[in-house]
Amino acid sequence: MSSISTALQDICRRIEAAAVEAGREPSSIRLIAVSKTKPPHKIREAFDAGHRLFGESYLQEFLEKRADPLLEGLPIEWHFIGHLQSNKIRSVIGKVSLIHGIDKISTARELSRQALRQNLHANYLLEVNTSGESTKYGMAPNEALSAAEALFALPSITLRGLMTIASPDAALAAKEFGELRHLLEQLREVAPHPEQLSELSMGMSGDFEAAVMEGATMIRIGTAIFGARGAG
Ligand SMILES: *Cc1c(COP(=O)(O)O)cnc(C)c1O
């Protein structure tokens, strides 16, 4: 068995164990295999092991990989998890089922405008900076609350939930995951369609079990599946 397939099995077991410990249904948590910087044959290896959901962070790299002969036409579900500038939005619509990293009202407006123009619909998550670290992207939680009404009103796009990258410190990370869940609950109270606003994208290789404990519905794992980046 390949190391990628073994790693996938191992992660799935750990997600399941954390879910059981949290009293949650393991199937309520989706694993996004983060394949950024990894070559198409590694993605193909994970696909052949049965995995279908992949996350990419860099637009040009993503567009090249999805058109690669090893991957083209496969029933892969792609998520875009990187930072997207407004001028790149148009190229990603229709190619991914979820965009995780929208962190400004102006970017959401552009997403809406481009989706409308292309006669497509886009699902997105709002990136929230729960750590308060100034080097991180994301809206402050109170900013997200005040932006909510404007975001809900935008046509051709649907806000499906929240995404965060937590602090490296485990205790802080657990607190930040809890804060993201709390923010989602607050947003659901004012949402016109709260049933559509249900996703919490949080947890990476180093902290996903804590994220599952705090209610993550999507976890984004790169290193623990594909190995360290920069190591092929
Ligand atoms: C790279 C990346 C990940 C995966 O991180 P690992 O620590 O390798 O699991 C998750 N989320 C985002 C937004 C990323 O850019």
Side-chain angles (χ1 to χ4, degrees):
M1 220 182 322
S2 83
S3 62
I4 287 176
S5 126
T6 312
L8 278 166
Q9 283 184 10
D10 179 56
I11 299 284
C12 288
R13 262 196 298 270
R14 286 169 62 190
I15 293 171
E16 208 173 298
V20 168
E21 195 183 333
R24 302 183 56 201
E25 185 57 51
S27 63
S28 66
I29 301 140
R30 299 188 73 202
L31 170 60
I32 302 167
V34 176
S35 48
K36 66 178 181 213
T37 79
K38 298 295 176 182
H41 73 88
K42 296 239 172 178
I43 300 176
R44 182 59 192 250
E45 218 174 300
F47 178 89
D48 289 340
H51 200 74
R52 295 291 177 269
L53 175 57
F54 294 87
E56 287 281 340
S57 297
Y58 308 108
L59 185 63
Q60 196 52 41
E61 182 194 340
F62 164 59
L63 295 176
E64 282 167 21
K65 281 193 212 166
R66 77 188 276 280
D68 188 279
L70 276 177
L71 302 177
E72 201 193 355
L74 294 181
I76 287 179
E77 179 181 352
W78 296 105
H79 286 190
F80 197 83
I81 65 168
H83 188 71
L84 261 183
Q85 290 158 309
S86 284
N87 61 349
K88 304 280 178 66
I89 289 273
R90 131 181 84 77
S91 326
V92 87
I93 295 174
K95 302 189 179 80
V96 301
S97 64
L98 187 64
I99 301 170
H100 290 232
I102 301 294
D103 69 345
K104 290 195 188 72
I105 300 188
S106 58
T107 317
R109 282 215 177 89
E110 179 63 10
L111 182 63
S112 168
R113 209 170 67 84
Q114 293 292 346
L116 199 61
R117 177 185 279 180
Q118 298 181 34
N119 204 14
L120 292 168
H121 186 93
N123 290 306
Y124 73 105
L125 306 180
L126 203 59
E127 180 167 0
V128 177
N129 183 346
T130 47
S131 71
E133 284 173 40
S134 59
T135 52
K136 288 209 171 113
Y137 291 115
M139 271 191 200
N142 62 341
E143 232 184 311
L145 276 175
S146 30
E149 207 177 327
L151 294 174
F152 294 145
L154 293 171
S156 297
I157 64 175
T158 305
L159 177 63
R160 302 302 312 274
L162 303 175
M163 179 270 214
T164 200
I165 299 177
S167 297
D169 178 84
L172 283 179
K175 183 169 122 326
E176 290 159 12
F177 293 147
E179 282 166 10
L180 197 72
R181 189 192 56 210
H182 178 64
L183 181 60
L184 185 70
E185 284 159 11
Q186 288 177 294
L187 287 172
R188 283 168 61 100
E189 279 167 24
V190 294
H193 301 287
E195 74 284 355
Q196 296 177 347
L197 186 59
S198 57
E199 304 295 345
L200 284 172
S201 168
M202 56 188 197
M204 314 192 342
S205 291
D207 57 14
F208 70 89
E209 279 141 326
V212 169
M213 295 302 292
E214 294 295 339
T217 63
M218 295 175 175
I219 59 175
R220 311 177 307 265
I221 309 273
T223 311
I225 296 172
F226 295 108
R229 285 179 290 277

